Amino acid sequence: MKEIAQLALAVHLRDDETFDSFQGELNQVAVAQLKHFLQNSFAVERDEQPNSFYLFGTQGAGKSHLLQACCTLAEESGKSSLCLSFSELKDLSVEVLDGLENIDLICLDNLQLIANDKLWQQAVFDLFNRITEQNKAIIISGDESANKLGITLPDLASRLTWGFTEQVKAPDDGEKLKILQYRALQRGLVLHEDAAKFLLNRLDRNMNTLIESLDLLDKASIREQRKITIPFIKDILL
């Protein structure tokens, strides 16, 4: 593999983004489908099924979390995996995809970012074909359904619809509170409901922003040896 690919593939999984930590009832069907897809993909005697899975949903719905969770499950099953995002890939050479068909599971996040890049679209389509030939698995995410994604290469647009497709629904406010409290507990923090509601009401309600804010509070709490209260949140974030 090219040197640029070797550099780009130095990727580590987030140990806090697993299926167990993916909270909420709205997406249980999508989670169940993903698990079934992976379990069959990794089985010694596989049922006939497509090699691909397309996930779509708005920013902050949890697509990236699920892709990380899929890779974690692959590793737990003794399979190789790699999760990459086009937020980083799009600035690299398409050669970064060379040889990835030898990995058991490839996850590609944010496909919408190459909607106007024919070179990258062709490279992804070629990877699709190589993965199918090697009988491996690929999961791709985007912010819209396949027919609304704006992919200009007809072959790639068509290929996205060949496999499984599930929508990841954004959590409502009640689920966001549960997610914040659960993710705080994972970090060894106690986030009371009043503090969680304050975060939800005063910050951008996008889950990515909320989790990033929780990370900042976690570090500040350790540094200053303070509990996460509303006054503390105001001092650190507002």
Side-chain angles (χ1 to χ4, degrees):
M1 195 180 295
K2 304 294 185 182
E3 181 179 357
I4 190 169
Q6 293 173 339
L7 291 172
L9 301 188
V11 179
H12 302 284
L13 290 176
R14 289 194 53 156
D15 56 10
D16 61 341
E17 294 191 341
T18 65
F19 281 118
D20 287 340
S21 67
F22 190 79
Q23 299 292 296
E25 298 298 322
L26 294 176
N27 293 302
Q28 291 308 302
V29 171
V31 169
Q33 284 282 70
L34 278 170
K35 287 182 177 179
H36 176 76
F37 171 76
L38 293 171
Q39 288 163 358
N40 189 55
S41 296
F42 301 152
V44 175
E45 296 183 4
R46 298 173 54 168
D47 296 333
E48 288 190 13
Q49 72 169 22
N51 292 73
S52 65
F53 201 119
Y54 180 63
L55 284 177
F56 71 96
T58 58
Q59 183 182 12
K63 302 185 299 298
S64 299
H65 184 139
L66 287 175
L67 293 188
Q68 290 277 327
C70 288
C71 288
T72 297
L73 182 59
E75 293 202 348
E76 291 171 351
S77 303
K79 300 296 182 179
S80 57
S81 67
L82 186 65
C83 186
L84 300 169
S85 174
F86 283 107
S87 61
E88 297 173 348
L89 289 180
K90 63 183 177 64
D91 296 322
L92 301 174
S93 165
V94 296
E95 292 179 350
V96 74
L97 300 186
D98 290 352
L100 297 194
E101 66 277 4
N102 296 311
I103 297 173
D104 295 309
L105 173 67
I106 295 296
C107 292
L108 299 177
D109 203 6
N110 295 309
L111 187 67
Q112 73 276 0
L113 297 179
I114 61 166
N116 296 313
D117 192 322
K118 291 185 178 180
L119 186 63
W120 263 109
Q121 290 176 46
Q122 184 64 53
V124 173
F125 176 70
D126 292 342
L127 176 61
F128 245 115
N129 291 337
R130 299 196 304 272
I131 284 174
T132 300
E133 290 170 0
Q134 295 296 322
N135 206 23
K136 304 298 186 181
I138 184 170
I139 304 174
I140 296 180
S141 81
D143 63 356
E144 295 280 1
S145 60
N147 61 347
K148 294 182 179 178
L149 197 59
I151 293 297
T152 54
L153 181 65
D155 287 341
L156 177 57
S158 175
R159 186 58 58 89
L160 291 173
T161 66
W162 282 16
F164 295 99
T165 299
E166 284 291 341
Q167 180 177 10
V168 184
K169 302 177 180 66
D172 58 25
D173 284 355
E175 288 193 330
K176 287 178 182 179
L177 287 176
K178 292 179 181 178
I179 291 169
L180 279 172
Q181 290 182 295
Y182 181 88
R183 297 292 284 271
L185 191 61
Q186 283 186 300
R187 293 162 169 77
L189 302 172
V190 176
L191 183 65
H192 293 294
E193 187 171 341
D194 61 338
K197 286 183 176 179
F198 183 82
L199 282 172
L200 195 60
N201 291 329
R202 295 296 296 272
L203 300 179
D204 186 329
R205 290 175 179 244
N206 181 285
M207 279 309 306
N208 291 339
T209 301
L210 291 170
I211 296 300
E212 288 171 3
S213 299
L214 188 61
D215 288 338
L216 291 174
L217 290 171
D218 181 16
K219 293 174 183 176
S221 175
I222 294 172
R223 183 178 65 248
E224 300 187 19
Q225 293 295 297
R226 291 174 60 185
K227 295 180 180 179
I228 298 182
T229 61
I230 291 176
F232 180 66
I233 293 171
K234 288 181 178 177
D235 288 345
I236 301 301
L237 299 179
L238 303 178

